[in-house]
Amino acid sequence: MQELKTDILVIGAGSGGLSVAAGASQMGADVILLEGHKMGGDCLNFGCIPSKALIASGKTAHSQAHASAFGVADVAPQIDYAAAKDHVHDVIAQIEPMDSQERFEGFGVKVIREYGSFVSPTQVQAGDHLISARRVVVATGSSPLVPPLPGLDQVPYYTNETIFDLREKPEHLLIIGGGPIGMEMAQAHIRLGCKVTVIEGMKALGKDDPEAASIVLDSLRAEGVAIQEDAMVAQIRGKAGAVEVATENGEIYAGSHLLMAVGRKANIDQLKLEAAGIERTRTGIKVDDSLRTTNRKVYAIGDVAGGLQFTHVAGYHAGIIIRSALFSLPSKAKTAHIPWATYTDPELAQVGLTEAQAHEQFGDTLEVARFGYNHNDRAISERKTKGFIKVMVVKGRPVGATIVGHQAGELINLWSLALANNLKMGQIAAMVSPYPTIGELNKRVAGAYFSPRLFENQTVKRVVRFVQRWIP
Ligand SMILES: Cc1cc2nc3c(=O)[nH]c(=O)nc-3n(C[C@H](O)[C@H](O)[C@H](O)COP(=O)(O)OP(=O)(O)OC[C@H]3O[C@@H](n4cnc5c(N)ncnc54)[C@H](O)[C@@H]3O)c2cc1C
């Protein structure tokens, strides 16, 4: 057994772990990084990047088939599903060097390609290495949750870890789970010429604002995706190429391939947390506001911390750890300004409170400002008029924003900035946006917040009349 000592030991080389390792090593700390599987973790290999690349293939096919609205003949797209997967892997390969072992070794990080498990509160074993660390950061991420549904163990199925390697085009893809991952995959596949049925036990996109989610769901249905809601799976049967999903309400859905997308589970099984006195919760590792576990020398960040599971959250957590572990500065993780987006077409994005949450929290002091894409000149030019932005405002400051429509994931950035810095609606309204941009929607919704105050206010009208009478 080789014994090693370090300032910071990072377990897991995904979005969170890599950010901590890069930051800490470049600031002079001695860092060891463990990775049992692929450098880059879920986001690069099985998550954000491959899914967005496949969505891009679907979008290209869709534009070919719907070009005539722009004066260009519609073409039935010639889809090569395997080549679309080549594109996905080429995109991964282009980004991979940023997360590579060589790059991190260049920063001075010692990278060990082994799974780690605690043997004591400050020691971790990885292969034949025994590592003692002043601080440990657990960034082991999450994996697809595959519930023990009756019959599932007898039937071949895919998850986000295997679907991007599938090269034969599914004739009919059944997707169990109508969350963001299920919906993104559903639209990508229908656009690539597959039949798609989504089977969801409750409401599809149920964590989002229902009014905004319904615009996405209607669009997917209009493209041909069958979305079955309130359809709890009772039994799965069949074989490769012919799968059947029976639901509790007596329906049977038949397809050629099955994708499981029902949720995520934290990667904690291999860590032997009890050896380090680290408690777990129902969704992951128990952490306090500063992401410390019940062992004060150990932090947990990203998906394994069991909160919002996004790459940008893991990166945000990494910044908190660097402040706290390297500089001993107090630093707390907040969630109120964390956005998320679902990259369907139209996109769906949220930051802060939804309308229902804001109403519950603030009652009658809540004002909701809205603006539709159908009044945005750029959206009209590009025939992307579906959708809206609504901003929840309390005493002149935004407490949440919901956007559904073209580039919603880009537009939400401004509201993340506003919530992070407690900006006022007046500051957003004072911004000048270039015309014609989709981004003008942000300014226009702030304008929509102020216009009733200006245009329906009798005092304002009296002042204007008075001034007009007296100026030469
Ligand atoms: C299909 C899909 C699409 C997604 N799309 C988006 C998106 O568009 N935007 C977004 O923000 N998020 C998206 N996500 C979520 C995003 O991928 C995760 O939130 C992010 O990867 C979490 O980062 P992490 O560092 O916590 O964990 P990960 O990136 O999962 O990294 C954890 C790493 O730890 C390693 N590991 C685990 N246990 C051990 C151990 N004991 N020892 C050593 N190594 C270990 C794993 O092998 C893995 O490489 C998507 C997820 C999926 C599944």
Side-chain angles (χ1 to χ4, degrees):
M1 187 75 65
Q2 193 187 351
E3 293 199 16
L4 299 169
K5 280 202 165 98
T6 189
D7 294 330
I8 309 233
L9 169 64
V10 181
I11 310 181
S15 314
L18 288 175
S19 304
V20 172
S25 60
Q26 290 179 90
M27 285 183 195
D30 203 17
V31 180
I32 295 179
L33 174 64
L34 304 183
E35 174 52 59
H37 192 25
K38 288 192 169 192
M39 294 292 288
D42 247 31
C43 184
L44 173 66
N45 299 294
F46 317 112
C48 333
I49 297 302
S51 60
K52 266 77 262 178
L54 198 68
I55 285 170
S57 293
K59 205 171 258 183
T60 307
H62 186 77
S63 341
Q64 283 197 338
H66 296 84
S68 58
F70 299 90
V72 179
D74 290 344
V75 185
Q78 299 291 305
I79 291 153
D80 180 341
Y81 187 79
K85 293 297 177 66
D86 290 340
H87 149 72
V88 167
H89 287 288
D90 179 56
V91 168
I92 294 174
Q94 285 188 46
I95 299 174
E96 220 161 31
M98 288 301 289
D99 294 356
S100 69
Q101 179 166 346
E102 295 71 33
R103 179 162 177 263
F104 279 76
E105 285 171 346
F107 293 146
V109 175
K110 182 170 178 58
V111 181
I112 300 175
R113 302 296 295 271
E114 297 280 0
Y115 284 102
S117 356
F118 285 94
V119 291
S120 81
T122 53
Q123 285 178 309
V124 170
Q125 185 178 344
D128 56 5
H129 299 91
L130 182 65
I131 306 149
S132 303
R134 292 182 54 251
R135 294 284 179 274
V136 180
V137 179
V138 180
T140 51
S142 64
S143 305
L145 172 74
V146 181
L149 295 169
L152 186 58
D153 54 345
Q154 306 295 317
V155 174
Y157 63 88
Y158 293 84
T159 66
N160 70 291
E161 290 180 354
T162 49
I163 189 84
F164 299 110
D165 288 329
L166 172 66
R167 295 183 67 80
E168 61 170 9
K169 183 163 108 181
E171 191 196 319
H172 187 164
L173 182 64
L174 301 176
I175 302 178
I176 301 187
I181 295 174
M183 286 307 167
E184 288 185 358
M185 287 299 96
Q187 193 172 38
H189 279 85
I190 198 105
R191 289 179 165 193
L192 290 173
C194 311
K195 274 186 168 174
V196 180
T197 301
V198 178
I199 302 152
E200 162 60 49
M202 290 184 271
K203 294 284 167 227
L205 297 175
K207 290 188 181 150
D208 281 283
D209 173 89
E211 183 190 9
S214 74
I215 291 192
V216 175
L217 298 179
D218 288 351
S219 297
L220 264 71
R221 286 191 172 111
E223 288 187 26
V225 178
I227 304 171
Q228 313 298 338
E229 298 184 289
D230 300 312
M232 278 290 177
V233 174
Q235 174 80 40
I236 300 173
R237 49 188 173 248
K239 54 183 189 243
V243 182
E244 276 186 359
V245 176
T247 56
E248 285 176 2
N249 50 9
E251 300 292 335
I252 294 177
Y253 303 101
S256 61
H257 294 71
L258 175 63
L259 172 65
M260 294 298 298
V262 296
R264 314 280 309 160
K265 72 169 174 16
N267 291 332
I268 50 178
D269 293 348
Q270 306 201 33
L271 287 168
K272 304 205 173 124
L273 294 172
E274 43 305 326
I278 299 170
E279 287 174 27
R280 51 184 89 186
T281 62
R282 204 177 45 82
T283 52
I285 292 180
K286 184 174 177 185
V287 288
D288 65 13
D289 286 354
S290 49
L291 303 170
R292 275 200 157 106
T293 66
T294 44
N295 173 339
R296 296 205 35 91
K297 296 197 165 168
V298 179
Y299 297 84
I301 65 169
D303 283 10
V304 78
L308 291 171
Q309 294 183 318
F310 299 103
T311 289
H312 47 275
V313 173
Y316 168 65
H317 283 174
I320 288 170
I321 297 304
I322 287 176
R323 266 178 74 90
S324 164
L326 257 55
F327 298 104
S328 266
L329 292 171
S331 194
K332 290 191 173 172
K334 300 180 186 140
T335 50
H337 64 301
I338 304 287
W340 66 83
T342 301
Y343 299 92
T344 44
D345 174 13
E347 292 183 356
L348 176 55
Q350 177 70 41
V351 64
L353 302 177
T354 61
E355 185 174 356
Q357 290 165 340
H359 197 264
E360 196 180 318
Q361 200 166 321
F362 295 105
D364 290 344
T365 50
L366 172 71
E367 292 173 87
V368 180
R370 303 176 61 103
F371 201 81
Y373 273 67
N374 55 344
H375 298 302
N376 175 277
D377 293 355
R378 185 61 178 275
I380 295 169
S381 314
E382 299 197 3
R383 298 188 174 276
K384 297 283 186 193
T385 50
K386 207 181 282 177
F388 63 82
I389 169 166
K390 65 178 166 183
V391 179
M392 281 50 78
V393 187
V394 175
K395 296 185 184 153
R397 292 181 201 271
V399 295
T402 303
I403 311 178
V404 59
H406 185 48
Q407 295 183 359
E410 306 291 336
L411 296 186
I412 204 74
N413 279 296
L414 182 83
W415 300 100
S416 304
L417 175 78
L419 265 67
N421 294 286
N422 200 22
L423 299 185
K424 293 181 185 164
M425 290 300 275
Q427 290 168 293
I428 309 291
M431 166 183 80
V432 178
S433 289
Y435 175 86
T437 54
I438 299 289
E440 268 186 291
L441 279 160
N442 282 334
K443 181 180 165 65
R444 294 296 296 274
V445 74
Y449 171 73
F450 286 109
S451 51
R453 288 168 171 70
L454 286 174
F455 304 146
E456 290 158 26
N457 185 316
Q458 293 311 317
T459 313
V460 173
K461 288 185 176 163
R462 274 198 296 277
V463 170
V464 170
R465 279 198 291 271
F466 178 78
V467 172
Q468 290 304 311
R469 211 171 302 141
W470 291 103
I471 53 169

